[in-house]
Amino acid sequence: MNNFDYEVAGSVEEAVGKSTFIAGGTNLLDLLKYNLESVETLVDINSLDSAITQIETGILLGALATNADTAYHPLIEQNYPLLSKAILAGASGQIRNMATNGGNLLQRTRCYYFYDAHAPCNKRVPGSGCSAINGNNRIMAILGTSEHCIAVFPSDMCVALAALDAVVNIAGPNGNRKLNFADFHRLPGDTPHLDNNLLAGELITGIELPKKGFAKNYSYLKLRDRNSYAFALISVATGLDIENGIIKEARIALGGVAHKPWRVKAAEDYLAGKQPDEANFAAAAEIILQGAIGFEHNEFKIELAKRAIIRNGMMALDPSTQLPGAQPSA
């Protein structure tokens, strides 16, 4: 870890325009300790707004609210149980007590080679190569990859936010702006070192949840190698709006498959007007996984994702059946 200056920002106005922010620090401190990231000035933003409040268009999550406070907040548990379940499927209880909502969006990939400072990695050192493509790629991406990077984005919370059509509130040197969640994270392309579309000096100030929370028919399924403190091989967030036994609207987002939460509108449109049964979820899964490419050790994830989509769709019909994949990580 290099030496750096430390400042405390008392307001958003004091923080914007500066370089590296720290709140919970649950990922950033790892990156600093491994010398994977270096900073000149670390700006502590823990005194900024952490409220979770009702607004005219839905709910506003303060960027500084912790993942635990968000998951167990009555407004979230009642109106957005899909988000609550997704958060509780991630990390550990201790980490959720520290990690913030804004920080969750900004965490880096858990690719083994990214965290090995001696391994070539285009995400860490652009132009150095991708060790994962011909290496141990069991956890890597099967959708949206490029010849430069096959890393996955690790968040559980963000998979649910993608399904809910959240909006990210951003403050920056040139003013405030809103970014649809689908546009927040990036695919690797030829710039895999860029994880998202935040500009220099910009700060996430909040996350807006639209009123529609799919509180009646929802499910979050996380498939992983162990039940606690493990990142998803495949995760699925499903929200359904069902009327008279017919799907009016469907939302399906995948985690563990790409450089960002993965949604395919054509699959959701296919389900609209159809019965919520295994055959239709299977057809939607085929649409979602179109173009998926497996590598030596992770080709199994293509079939695993299809089966997870079907299973999660059926569990969304009765959320009480969400066992065991949606139980909180210990």
Side-chain angles (χ1 to χ4, degrees), residues 101 175 247 269 286 304:
N101 292 332
I247 299 173
D269 289 344
E286 291 293 334
L304 185 65

Side-chain angles (χ1 to χ4, degrees), residues 129-314:
C130 176
S131 300
I133 289 177
N134 295 309
N136 186 345
N137 43 43
R138 172 177 165 78
I139 67 170
M140 304 303 174
I142 54 175
L143 289 162
T145 59
S146 77
E147 61 179 318
H148 303 289
C149 183
I150 60 172
V152 296
F153 182 63
S155 169
D156 290 287
M157 177 183 184
C158 289
V159 182
L161 291 176
L164 291 169
D165 274 344
V167 174
V168 184
N169 290 352
I170 297 168
N174 297 317
N176 300 333
R177 66 184 178 114
K178 297 178 185 288
L179 196 55
N180 292 331
F181 203 81
D183 300 322
F184 184 81
H185 295 103
R186 301 166 58 104
L187 291 178
D190 58 1
T191 56
H193 57 293
L194 301 176
D195 291 330
N196 56 65
N197 287 310
L198 274 185
L199 303 177
E202 287 190 324
L203 174 70
I204 298 172
T205 58
I207 302 163
E208 294 183 20
L209 302 176
K211 288 183 178 178
K212 196 165 195 174
F214 299 93
K216 185 177 180 181
N217 293 112
Y218 69 91
S219 182
Y220 186 74
L221 175 63
K222 180 177 181 178
L223 303 178
R224 46 193 156 175
D225 285 327
R226 62 178 187 271
N227 196 40
S228 178
Y229 204 65
F231 298 94
L233 290 170
I234 299 289
S235 63
V236 189
T238 301
L240 301 174
D241 183 0
I242 299 174
E243 188 172 292
N244 298 323
I246 299 296
I247 299 173
K248 288 182 61 182
E249 184 177 3
R251 304 275 182 82
I252 300 174
L254 299 188
V257 299
H259 211 245
K260 59 184 291 184
W262 192 264
R263 271 182 70 183
V264 177
K265 188 173 184 304
E268 296 172 354
D269 289 344
Y270 168 82
L271 287 171
K274 293 187 171 61
Q275 293 183 335
D277 56 30
E278 289 191 12
N280 284 324
F281 288 129
E286 291 293 334
I287 297 172
I288 293 170
L289 272 297
Q290 280 180 6
I293 298 175
F295 296 85
E296 181 178 1
H297 302 292
N298 75 346
E299 194 162 0
F300 73 96
K301 292 177 73 172
I302 298 174
E303 182 62 24
L304 185 65
K306 293 177 182 177
R307 296 187 184 194
I309 291 167
I310 298 168
R311 177 183 170 188
N312 206 45
M314 297 307 294

